Amino acid sequence: MRTTRLELPRLYSEQAAIKRHPARFKVFCAGRRAGKTWLGSDMLITGSGALGGAVDGLPVAWFSPTYKMLAQIWRDVVAWAAPVTRNVSVSEKRVELVTGGTIDMWSLENPDAARGRKYAGVFVDEAAMVPVLEEAWQAVIRPTLTDYAGWATFGSTPRGMNFFKTLYDLGRDPGQTDWASWQLATVANPYIPADEVEAARRDMTERRFHQEYLAEFLEGEGYVFRNVTDCSTEAITEPEEGTYVAGVDFGRSNDYTAICVVDAATKREVYLDRFNGPDWTLQRTRILATLQRYNVTTALLEQNSFGSPNIEEIQKQFRGARAWTTTAQTKRDIVEYLVQLLENRECRLLSRTANEAAAVAESELLAYEQTELPSGMVRYSAPEGRHDDTVIARCLAYWCCRPQRERGIV
Ligand SMILES: Nc1ncnc2c1ncn2[C@@H]1O[C@H](COP(=O)(O)OP(=O)(O)OP(=O)(O)O)[C@@H](O)[C@H]1O
Ligand SMILES: [Mg+2]
C-alpha cells in the first residue's frame, strides 16, 4: 500500500488543545493574527476532537464572510491539501481528496448557496464579521450538520456584542455541554513577534487594541442596522400619484454614485440605482432623469468635493435639489433616523432581488458599522475596504420623509 505524507503546520499548544477538545461546537475568540485561520484549515482537513475531517473521507465545509476573504484562504487550503488531492474545482471551490473526503468553500455573502448540503464538519472564519450570522447558522449551516451529526467551529476576532458573542457565551455556559469557548490574545501565537503587537498598539486607540489584539468584546461596537432582511421586501415600483423624495450620494474617484427614491407617505423605497464612471455629465443626466421620472419633490444630495459642482448643475434644472453637507453630527442624524425606522419596521426597502443595486445595497446596509471612539462618540462607517454609497443615499432619501422644520432644510 502506498502512503502519502500530509504536512500540515504543527499547531501551537492552545490551537492543539482546542482541536483536541471533545465539544461538538467550538468558539475560538482570538486576536488578530492569533492563528484562527490556520487552526480552522487544520481541523477541516484532519477533524475536531474524535470527529473526523476530510482525510477521513468525510465532506466538510469552510465559510468566510466575503468572497474576497474566501479567495485568499482557498489558495492556502488547496496548497495544504495538495499531497492528498484527487481533484480541484475552482469554479465550485471544492477540493476532493484521495480518501473520498471533500472540502467545499462558501462565502456568507450569499448563505443560501449552501442550503441542502450535508457536512461532517464546518469552520466559520471571522464569524463576527458576518452580519447575518444568526440566520446563516440557524437556517443554513446548522441543518447541514444533521445527517452526519457533524461538528462546527467558529473562529473570529470579536466585533461588539453581536451573535458571535451569543455563541461564545454558549461555550461558557456549563449547562451547554455541546459547546466550548476560548478567548485568546494575539500574543498566545508564538509565531507572531511580541514587538509587532506592541507596534500595533501604538498605531491604534486603546479600545481598538483591546478588541483586535486582546480579543475583548466591547460595548458600542458592531453593526448598525437591524431588521434589514425582514424589511427588504419590495419590488421596484413605477411612478404613480404620490410624493416622492430622493437621496443622492456622489461617488468619489473609485466608488459609486447612488440614488434612492422613496414614497414619502408610505416610506416605501421605490427605486435604487448606482453607477460610476469618469463622465460627470452622464451621471448627472441619469440622476436628473430619475428625479424627473418620479416627479420627485425634494432630493438631498451629498455635498463633498465632487458633489458641489454637480449639485449646482442639477439645481439649474431641478428646483427640489438641496445640498447636504456631511459632518459627524449630520451623518449621525440621518443614519440614526433610518436605524429607528428599521428598528420599528416603519419602512420598506427594495428586496435584494429587485435589481443589482438593491442586492449591493442590502449587503452595504448589513455590513455598516459603528465604532465607539475614545471620546465616547459613535462613528458610523462602512467596514474597511467596503463602500457605503447606497447606505448614505438611502439615509438621505428617508431623511426627506421627515417634516421640513425637523429636517432643518431651507
Ligand atoms: N501552528 C502554526 N505554526 C506556524 N505558524 C503559525 C501557526 N499558526 C499560525 N501561524 C502563523 O501566524 C500567522 C497568523 O495565522 P492565521 O492567519 O491563522 O491567524 P488569524 O488569527 O486567522 O489572523 P487574521 O486575524 O489576520 O485573520 C500565519 O500567517 C502563520 O505565519
Ligand atoms: Mg484569519
Side-chain angles (χ1 to χ4, degrees):
M1 199 177 85
R2 203 166 65 94
T3 50
T4 311
R5 233 183 114 71
L6 178 62
E7 300 243 3
L8 291 172
R10 238 181 106 78
L11 298 180
Y12 67 80
S13 61
E14 283 87 349
Q15 285 173 320
I18 296 170
K19 178 183 159 80
R20 249 193 337 264
H21 194 280
R24 179 176 174 197
F25 302 122
K26 302 178 184 177
V27 182
F28 181 27
C29 167
R32 300 287 310 276
R33 315 303 293 147
K36 306 174 294 285
T37 299
W38 279 40
L39 173 62
S41 329
D42 181 290
M43 289 172 75
L44 279 190
I45 297 172
T46 63
S48 169
L51 304 172
V55 292
D56 303 299
L58 294 166
V60 297
W62 178 279
F63 292 90
S64 277
T66 62
Y67 290 105
K68 208 167 153 187
M69 293 172 80
L70 189 67
Q72 222 162 7
I73 179 65
W74 163 252
R75 287 189 292 271
D76 289 341
V77 169
V78 168
W80 279 328
V84 289
T85 295
R86 179 193 299 159
N87 189 31
V88 173
S89 165
V90 178
S91 59
E92 287 178 74
K93 291 272 183 301
R94 161 177 272 229
V95 181
E96 269 175 50
L97 304 191
V98 291
T99 58
T102 51
I103 306 169
D104 285 341
M105 304 196 63
W106 302 101
S107 150
L108 286 171
E109 272 175 69
N110 175 19
D112 288 336
R115 269 180 199 271
R117 301 301 179 110
K118 296 174 201 165
Y119 295 117
V122 301
F123 181 77
V124 186
D125 198 25
E126 292 305 340
M129 278 185 61
V130 180
V132 294
L133 182 63
E134 182 170 6
E135 284 170 77
W137 168 241
Q138 285 164 359
V140 180
I141 304 173
R142 179 67 185 80
T144 65
L145 301 173
T146 310
D147 291 62
Y148 288 92
W151 56 268
T153 297
F154 300 83
S156 190
T157 298
R159 192 169 275 207
M161 301 295 176
N162 61 15
F163 189 68
F164 178 66
K165 171 72 162 62
T166 308
L167 296 177
Y168 175 80
D169 288 342
L170 285 176
R172 295 262 131 165
D173 178 349
Q176 300 282 343
T177 49
D178 269 351
W179 289 80
S181 294
W182 292 262
Q183 188 172 30
L184 234 59
T186 302
V187 291
N189 181 349
Y191 301 99
I192 299 293
D195 53 355
E196 267 302 307
V197 175
E198 277 314 304
R201 184 174 209 144
R202 287 193 295 274
D203 288 344
M204 60 180 66
T205 64
E206 194 61 16
R207 251 185 91 75
R208 247 305 93 153
F209 183 80
H210 276 253
Q211 173 171 279
E212 303 294 326
Y213 286 83
L214 303 182
E216 291 175 12
F217 291 96
L218 302 183
E219 294 276 0
E221 301 283 320
Y223 300 110
V224 176
F225 296 103
R226 305 203 322 161
N227 301 330
V228 172
T229 318
D230 288 357
C231 292
S232 300
T233 49
E234 302 299 297
I236 288 175
T237 313
E238 288 306 311
E240 296 162 357
E241 285 296 305
T243 307
Y244 292 110
V245 292
V248 176
D249 183 69
F250 288 102
R252 289 156 187 83
S253 48
N254 61 350
D255 54 9
Y256 286 78
T257 292
I259 177 164
C260 163
V261 183
V262 168
D263 180 337
T266 59
K267 296 201 175 61
R268 270 173 52 228
E269 183 177 41
V270 293
Y271 184 77
L272 185 74
D273 197 8
R274 75 198 267 276
F275 35 84
N276 67 358
D279 187 346
W280 287 111
T281 316
L282 204 65
Q283 293 206 18
R284 285 198 300 269
T285 309
R286 285 181 80 160
I287 292 168
L288 274 166
T290 301
L291 297 177
Q292 282 155 1
R293 198 154 72 83
Y294 281 91
N295 198 11
V296 165
T297 54
T298 309
L300 280 186
L301 301 94
E302 198 212 4
Q303 186 161 37
N304 54 34
S305 49
F306 291 101
S308 305
N310 282 312
I311 293 172
E312 280 168 30
E313 285 302 314
I314 288 173
Q315 278 172 330
K316 286 183 194 158
Q317 295 174 64
F318 175 69
R319 291 184 41 212
R322 304 275 185 273
W324 174 265
T325 308
T326 314
T327 64
Q329 182 58 50
T330 59
K331 191 165 172 182
R332 265 198 297 277
D333 288 342
I334 60 168
V335 168
E336 286 170 10
Y337 183 58
L338 184 56
V339 167
Q340 181 196 325
L341 288 178
L342 284 165
E343 194 69 40
N344 300 332
R345 300 172 194 269
E346 284 171 345
C347 63
R348 290 269 151 209
L349 302 174
L350 292 179
S351 100
R352 62 180 299 117
T353 54
N355 66 7
E356 213 182 300
V360 172
E362 187 179 296
S363 320
E364 285 187 1
L365 213 54
L366 284 167
Y368 204 63
E369 290 181 338
Q370 65 187 52
T371 316
E372 199 179 305
L373 302 173
S375 63
M377 298 272 267
V378 172
R379 186 176 62 110
Y380 295 113
S381 61
E384 221 178 296
R386 311 256 323 245
H387 297 302
D388 68 354
D389 325 285
T390 60
V391 175
I392 299 301
R394 280 175 155 177
C395 288
L396 288 172
Y398 277 101
W399 189 248
C400 296
C401 296
R402 291 164 58 110
Q404 285 261 351
R405 63 193 141 66
E406 276 185 51
R407 300 203 296 264
I409 298 172
V410 280

